[in-house]
Amino acid sequence: VLELGTGCGYSAIRLASALPVQLETVEEDPLRVIVARCMIAMSNLNDRIKVWIGKTAVVLPRLGGRFHAVVCDHAGKNFLPDLLFLQHQHLLPRAVVLANHVLKPGAPEFLWEVTRHPTTQVVSVPEFEQPPLEDWMSVTVLTRPLQNDPPAGVLDLVELSAGILDRASDTRSRGRQLGSVDDWKDFVEDMKLGLGDLGIQATAQHGADPPPKCVRCD
């Protein structure tokens, strides 16, 4: 299993504790890497989990072996490029891809591509840091090679996502937080509307009945 975006190591520890797998995880924030390595050591999972430090563009070329599952929990703009690189290097066979935060702050190019696979589900979940808001996670079993040919509407949503992230970065650099829940609520509604125009919608809700099979309105 490959995890992109270690954070503090929680997901890696849960995965390695629940499944008989070897897991490699990549994180570019040095402080998070320190915390994750300590947590992994305290969980006695050093022999099962390897933590890489650095940007994915630098680390991925150094990886060996093949991955049968990938967890994307880093910057949404990198989801598709990183998966395409793994595919090009023949490191990604028929694999399961789990992606977080594909609605907020979004990963439009990635979401457009994976919802073209009939083996994708998009699950509506409460946003972790702001529970009143909606977020999406996607689960895909890759059955064919990924591509990167988004229409103009997808690129508009990429700009929408980049815009709110730029504003968040600017306000935090000034010692303030990004707006209010209402700011993010407006963003989520705009993103859902844009994705809906492209035929992309959530196919399941966390805690609800099993979802329908189709993931694209078209």
Side-chain angles (χ1 to χ4, degrees):
V1 175
L2 173 64
E3 179 187 44
L4 304 177
T6 311
C8 293
Y10 177 79
S11 297
I13 291 170
R14 288 296 300 270
L15 282 167
S17 298
L19 300 171
V21 297
Q22 292 295 127
L23 189 145
E24 298 192 46
T25 180
V26 183
E27 173 61 55
E28 65 175 275
D29 185 331
L31 292 178
R32 290 183 176 182
V33 169
I34 291 171
V35 174
R37 287 175 173 168
C38 289
M39 297 296 292
I40 291 166
M42 292 172 63
S43 302
N44 295 317
L45 289 170
N46 279 332
D47 61 331
R48 300 271 304 282
I49 302 174
K50 180 176 182 179
V51 183
W52 294 82
I53 181 171
K55 295 181 180 296
T56 53
V58 176
V59 174
L60 293 187
R62 301 169 60 190
L63 300 180
R66 305 175 76 195
F67 298 99
H68 297 278
V70 180
V71 179
C72 296
D73 198 10
H74 55 322
K77 65 181 181 180
N78 294 332
F79 287 6
L80 186 55
D82 286 344
L83 291 170
L84 287 169
F85 177 84
L86 292 169
Q87 180 179 279
H88 179 72
Q89 297 299 113
H90 306 291
L91 300 178
L92 197 65
R94 182 183 175 96
V96 177
V97 177
L98 172 67
N100 196 14
H101 298 303
V102 295
L103 177 64
K104 174 186 180 290
E109 290 176 298
F110 165 84
L111 203 52
W112 165 261
E113 174 57 27
V114 296
T115 55
R116 299 165 74 180
H117 293 244
T119 50
T120 292
Q121 293 292 349
V122 180
V123 185
S124 173
V125 297
E127 210 286 334
F128 178 73
E129 294 183 343
Q130 296 173 310
L133 299 182
E134 180 182 8
D135 199 359
W136 291 354
M137 298 181 70
S138 68
V139 184
T140 302
V141 179
L142 296 180
T143 56
R144 61 170 175 77
L146 294 164
Q147 300 179 34
N148 188 13
D149 57 349
V154 172
L155 300 180
D156 291 339
L157 296 179
V158 171
E159 291 185 7
L160 177 66
S161 178
I164 198 166
L165 289 173
D166 286 343
R167 295 199 301 276
S169 176
D170 180 63
T171 54
R172 286 168 183 161
S173 69
R174 296 167 183 261
R176 297 180 288 112
Q177 292 184 346
L178 171 63
S180 64
V181 172
D182 289 338
D183 295 326
W184 280 109
K185 182 179 179 180
D186 291 342
F187 167 80
V188 167
E189 292 304 316
D190 289 343
M191 181 66 77
K192 285 179 66 177
L193 182 62
L195 291 170
D197 290 342
L198 295 166
I200 302 172
Q201 59 188 358
T203 58
Q205 185 169 354
H206 179 262
D209 293 333
K213 292 182 179 180
C214 64
V215 297
R216 291 284 292 277
C217 296
D218 57 354

